[in-house]
Amino acid sequence: MMIILLTAGSFLSGSLMFSYWLGLLGRKNITAVGDGNPGALNLWKAAGYKLGFAGVLLDFLKGYLPVLLLVGSSYAKGFFLIPLALAPIAGHAFSPFLKGRGGKAIAVTFGVWSALTGFEASLVYAIILALLAGAASLIYKNKSKTTDGDGLQVVIGMLILSIYLSIRMFSVILLLIWLGNFAILLYRHRKEVMKRLKKTQINKQTASKDE
């Protein structure tokens, strides 16, 4: 019974849409900005870096704090850690405060992995994303940045992170948490991923015709 209550509490923590509410305080509806994502990135675009940074920090903390408080406790032993760790990410991605329409769950993902691994996995993920962004800027240097490209990088970056976790021989529990996290990120970025894959396919078909 207690594990259910704790999981619900972690889910509730993740579902608090701070960036969306900060946007409203700044008289900005961030769901009408960019791709409509009610997260910190759109808050940054709509209301500036000050509110944007506050949104990133709060979204990070709502994943970091509940997991940090539970890690090592008697309630987070073994497989019970899995729902507790995934709950804040799921809460943000499917927030009941926005009728199930949540954010992309990137900042809260960093928060959860920071708590689980003492910032190790989140730092590696940040480096991976930075390298992917750098590679993309070199490949598409004459093209404008797109949200579908960003979404694909988030998903690919999380996929690469699994290789690092395996090499470092993290526990099966953490690998299962990664799997759930990856599934949520893939679902929340599915439109961007499909759009990018369609673009790639069209470019290949065009190139083959030119040959």
Side-chain angles (χ1 to χ4, degrees):
M1 184 63 182
M2 182 57 69
I3 190 67
I4 296 174
L5 292 176
L6 291 174
T7 300
S10 294
F11 181 89
L12 180 62
S13 174
S15 70
L16 299 173
M17 303 306 292
F18 292 116
S19 294
Y20 175 73
W21 294 332
L22 285 172
L24 294 181
L25 287 175
R27 298 181 180 180
K28 299 287 185 180
N29 180 7
I30 62 174
T31 59
V33 176
D35 59 358
N37 173 38
L41 179 59
N42 271 358
L43 176 63
W44 198 299
K45 292 178 180 178
Y49 73 92
K50 290 182 180 179
L51 283 178
F53 180 78
V56 170
L57 180 60
L58 289 170
D59 283 352
F60 174 88
L61 289 175
K62 70 183 186 181
Y64 178 72
L65 291 178
V67 176
L68 181 67
L69 291 172
L70 291 170
V71 167
S73 72
S74 59
Y75 300 109
K77 297 294 185 182
F79 288 94
F80 287 128
L81 180 60
I82 298 173
L84 293 172
L86 290 176
I89 302 170
H92 181 83
F94 309 102
S95 175
F97 292 103
L98 291 179
K99 299 179 180 179
R101 184 179 177 274
K104 298 298 178 61
I106 301 172
V108 69
T109 288
F110 275 100
V112 167
W113 282 100
S114 294
L116 288 172
T117 65
F119 291 90
E120 180 181 344
S122 55
L123 178 59
V124 171
Y125 187 36
I127 293 172
I128 292 171
L129 292 181
L131 291 174
L132 289 175
S137 65
L138 290 175
I139 296 171
Y140 304 105
K141 57 184 176 180
N142 295 323
K143 297 180 181 180
S144 59
K145 195 175 182 181
T146 59
T147 55
D148 52 288
D150 291 340
L152 187 60
Q153 289 169 26
V154 168
V155 173
I156 292 176
M158 180 55 70
L159 194 59
I160 295 173
L161 180 63
S162 69
I163 300 174
Y164 176 83
L165 296 176
S166 298
I167 292 174
R168 286 279 287 111
M169 292 188 290
F170 279 98
S171 69
V172 173
I173 302 299
L174 289 186
L175 291 176
L176 289 174
I177 292 172
W178 170 87
L179 182 61
N181 196 165
F182 177 74
I184 293 172
L185 288 180
L186 180 60
Y187 179 80
R188 292 304 302 163
H189 293 84
R190 66 193 184 283
K191 292 181 181 178
E192 293 91 337
V193 172
M194 291 303 298
K195 187 176 180 181
R196 174 59 67 173
L197 291 176
K198 286 180 180 179
K199 281 184 179 180
T200 302
Q201 186 177 10
I202 291 172
N203 290 336
K204 286 183 179 179
Q205 290 175 348
T206 302
S208 64
K209 288 180 181 179
D210 292 339
E211 293 175 356

